[in-house]
Every structure is written in C-alpha cells, then in structure tokens.
Amino acid sequence: MPHASLRKFAQPQLSEESILAVVEVLRSQWIATGPKVSELESALSATFGGRPTRVVTSATGAMEIALLLCGVGPGDEVITSAQSFFSAMNMILKCGARPVFVDCELHTRAIDLAQVEAAITPRTRAIMPTHFPGALGDMDALYALAGKHRLRVIEDAALVQGSLWQGKPVGSFGDIATFSFHPNKNMTTIEGGAIVVNNQEEAEQVDILRFHGIAKLPDQTRDVVLAGGKYNMSDVSAVIGLHQLQQFEDFMTQRAALAQRYFERLPTLPGVVLPPRDVAGQTWNMFCVLITYEQYQYTRASFRAALQEAGIGTGMSYEACHLTSLAKGLGYAEGMFPIAERIGRETVTLPLHVGLTLADIDHVCDVVARLLSQ
Ligand SMILES: *Cc1c(COP(=O)(O)O)cnc(C)c1O
C-alpha cells in the first residue's frame, strides 16, 4: 500500500515543537509583527552571509517590493524568463512596467543569457531570473552582463533556498534575492517570503514599502513618504519559520536523498528528460520530469490521471508565462519561446517532500515505469 503522503506532490512538515510554539505565541497576545519576526529576520540573514533580510507575507509581495525598490515603474522594461511561476510577470506589470520575456535552457531552466543580452534596450531596468532545483544558471555570467549594462538583478529564489553557487548560498551574494515560505517550499511560515538586499538603506526602504509607506520622524510622529502596501509577517508565522529553520539542513538532506533515489530508480526512456543531476550544493524542492507523452500513447492529462488513479499526486511547474491570456494581451504568442513552451507542455512534478520515504519513491518509479511500458 503506497504511503498516503504520495497523494500530494508537496506538503509541509510541522514539528510538534513548532505547533506548541504557535500556541505560545497566540497566548502571548503579541500575534502580529513583533519579536519573532525580528528573530526570524536575524536568523535568515545569518544564512545569507549576514546581508540585510526582511520577511513579508509572500515571495510575490517580496518581488513587488524588490521592483519598487529598484525604481521600476511605467515605461520601464524588465527582462524575465517565460518559464517561471506567474509572480514575476504579474508584479512587473503591477509596477507599470513591461515584462520582456526570453527563453530558458532546457535542463536547468535557467534564463538564456544570450537572449537576455539581445533583449536589452534603453528602457531596461532589471533582469529577473528564476532559479530551479538541481542547477543554477551561470551566476557569474549573469552578474557580468548586468554589470556591463548597469542593470539591477532580482533573483526569484522561491524554489532554491539553501542552494549554493560555487559554495555560496543563493541570497548571500549578488543584488536582490527573494524567497518563498509557502507550504510547498523548502521551509514554510504558512504563507510568507523574504527579501535580501544590499545595505541598510535598502532594508529601510523595504520597511517603508512593506508597511503603509510609513517613515518614522525623530519626534516619534509618522510621515507617509510613498504609497506603500501592507506585507508585514505575523509573529505566528515567524515562530513557525524559526522552527523550520532549525530543521532546514535535515530537510535538505532528506530531500536530496529522495531526489537521488529518483535518479537511481526512474527508467531511462526515450523522450524523457530528468532534471540536472549531481550538481554540487543544490537543494531539491521539486522533481520535475519532461515526457513526450504521445510517444507513450498518453496526453499529460491522461498520464497524470493514471498516476492519480495509482494514489500518486503530481504538480505542473510551470506553464509558459507568455502563453497566458494576460501575456497574449501584450502581444506574446505561441512559437516565440520554444523551450519554455516545451517545458510548459511536458512538465510533470513527481512527489518530493520530507514526509516521504525511499520506499515511496521506489513505488512512484515502479508506477511510472509500468505506465510508460504499456
Ligand atoms: C512559489 C513561487 C513563487 C511565489 O511564492 P509565494 O510565496 O506564494 O508568493 C514565485 N516564484 C516561484 C518560482 C515560485 O515557485
């Protein structure tokens, strides 16, 4: 009998201690932003090489704040990958700027830097790449390109908290990075996210942007200096994050073992593309496989339904952004970014979370092998 946890491709693991800590915060009466938020920010900052870190209510909110912090506004362009979650596209548009899509690489899904360079215009303000589990793009080349053209970089690191580039954690170097603590991510605060910035001045700007545009005056009265939003995290969420952070290394070790098992046990079949394997220092939030379903008499929908039938839940990460109605309204169309489109068509996310055992992964691999051998 497969483990019940296989019914979901992702799920959080909350320790009993963290649940008790939530109760304690609730009883303390200080439930909105307070000491736990500050503690979590310090603890996270330590994992990002001491760089200034702020937590907010989602990665999406963090990305909007990052764009505003970089001065992105109407008339500007931000270059981003067509293969990503919808947040980047949406937040760029929400700031009044235009998302300029480019394609990505097939295996790493990293933004195609040659296409980034070709897409740069005098209106370009920033590059917004998305990182995927298994491998990062060439961060040295990305920052060299950004430096050459004086562009800001906002790394969407929602999926790769803990991943390393040449031994350095994502977020500990570079320009701005944003992270997600949604329950499906490497750690959770229920909903939540973080933004890592360059210096104290930027961190203070984030404080203003995330809380009503309020700047405190020396006489303790308040001024509003910009039309800010409200993205502050609650202490209830933050205390969960503090406990998750204590387990973070264990979580990543478990996830890596599960991913390794997929590589060992999944059948090597024509038309099946697995994620990058054996790249040092990578974390495994998701295990996404590409399959040319027609070759096996399936559609993606029928393949996912067959897995569902066998008690195995799957996800889809991600549809190509430029083929959404929103992006088509901006003039994007089918055929423009073939790799993002292929990933969007073929990707299926197999179960990977810390509630699973190696035997669970073996079961998934057996079912996949059986389905693809018929
Ligand atoms: C999950 C995710 C987001 C959004 O995170 P939220 O915290 O839910 O806003 C953004 N980008 C990527 C790549 C993601 O996977």
Side-chain angles (χ1 to χ4, degrees):
M1 213 22 220
H3 202 283
S5 298
L6 277 175
R7 294 200 169 274
K8 287 183 269 169
F9 73 92
Q11 69 175 30
Q13 178 143 303
L14 297 172
S15 67
E16 201 53 37
E17 289 83 354
S18 71
I19 293 168
L20 295 174
V22 165
V23 173
E24 217 174 286
V25 168
L26 291 173
R27 288 198 208 284
S28 79
Q29 309 280 18
W30 197 305
I31 58 177
T33 305
K36 297 298 179 194
V37 163
S38 307
E39 242 184 274
L40 179 58
E41 289 178 340
S42 303
L44 283 168
S45 173
T47 71
F48 301 131
R51 296 180 85 210
T53 304
R54 293 294 187 270
V55 295
V56 288
T57 43
S58 69
T60 306
M63 290 158 81
E64 182 181 5
I65 288 172
L67 287 160
L68 294 170
L69 184 63
C70 293
V72 172
D76 293 335
E77 294 174 353
V78 177
I79 301 173
T80 192
S81 175
Q83 177 51 229
S84 181
F85 186 57
F86 310 123
S87 301
M89 165 177 75
N90 281 344
M91 293 307 104
I92 293 164
L93 280 164
K94 203 155 172 252
C95 292
R98 180 179 173 84
V100 174
F101 291 117
V102 297
D103 215 342
C104 63
E105 292 159 14
L106 185 69
H107 283 91
T108 63
R109 305 185 178 198
I111 196 164
D112 182 322
L113 292 179
Q115 292 192 21
V116 170
E117 181 146 39
I120 294 170
T121 75
R123 291 170 184 267
T124 310
R125 290 296 282 262
I127 307 169
M128 221 169 173
T130 296
H131 299 307
F132 286 87
L136 303 172
D138 184 338
M139 300 304 287
D140 294 340
L142 169 72
Y143 276 103
L145 181 61
K148 179 172 148 198
H149 294 274
R150 297 184 186 287
L151 299 174
R152 299 298 301 258
V153 175
I154 300 166
E155 299 177 37
D156 177 356
L159 296 169
V160 298
Q161 186 181 354
S163 284
L164 309 178
W165 171 252
Q166 293 173 354
K168 295 172 302 210
V170 171
S172 71
F173 62 92
D175 193 352
I176 295 178
T178 57
F179 296 86
S180 174
F181 308 133
H182 178 275
N184 287 359
K185 302 298 158 77
N186 285 353
M187 64 168 262
T188 189
T189 59
I190 307 178
E191 295 285 357
I195 175 170
V196 184
V197 296
N198 293 287
N199 50 50
Q200 218 42 47
E201 198 182 328
E202 284 188 354
E204 280 163 24
Q205 201 60 22
V206 172
D207 290 340
I208 292 170
L209 285 161
R210 76 173 165 179
F211 198 72
H212 309 288
I214 291 173
K216 291 215 174 72
L217 297 175
D219 70 355
Q220 300 300 312
T221 62
R222 294 171 295 183
D223 189 16
V224 173
V225 295
L226 52 82
K230 186 171 189 292
Y231 302 96
N232 56 303
M233 183 183 276
S234 77
D235 262 24
V236 176
S237 278
V239 81
I240 296 174
L242 281 164
H243 281 262
Q244 293 270 299
L245 210 45
Q246 283 174 15
Q247 294 182 275
F248 193 83
E249 290 307 320
D250 287 343
F251 285 169
M252 294 314 109
T253 303
Q254 288 181 54
R255 285 177 172 279
L258 298 171
Q260 186 58 30
R261 192 71 157 203
Y262 271 127
F263 284 120
E264 286 163 7
R265 297 296 178 96
L266 274 177
T268 40
L269 290 167
V272 175
V273 179
L274 300 185
R277 185 177 180 172
D278 292 337
V279 180
Q282 303 309 298
T283 56
W284 286 95
N285 180 259
M286 303 191 294
F287 199 90
C288 301
V289 177
L290 305 182
I291 301 172
T292 47
Y293 301 95
E294 309 74 46
Q295 206 170 325
Y296 298 95
Q297 271 73 57
Y298 284 101
T299 61
R300 177 169 54 193
S302 69
F303 183 73
R304 294 184 71 202
L307 284 169
Q308 189 66 46
E309 187 74 15
I312 298 167
T314 57
M316 245 194 314
S317 306
Y318 294 105
E319 298 88 341
C321 287
H322 70 289
L323 299 182
T324 58
S325 297
L326 182 63
K328 282 180 172 166
L330 302 172
Y332 290 103
E334 186 118 29
M336 292 175 84
F337 309 113
I339 297 175
E341 289 171 23
R342 176 174 171 195
I343 295 169
R345 259 193 329 269
E346 297 188 354
T347 190
V348 63
T349 309
L350 300 178
L352 201 173
H353 55 77
V354 288
L356 297 178
T357 63
L358 295 178
D360 289 325
I361 303 300
D362 290 348
H363 178 71
V364 175
C365 294
D366 289 347
V367 172
V368 168
R370 175 165 59 76
L371 293 177
L372 296 185
S373 70
Q374 282 168 2

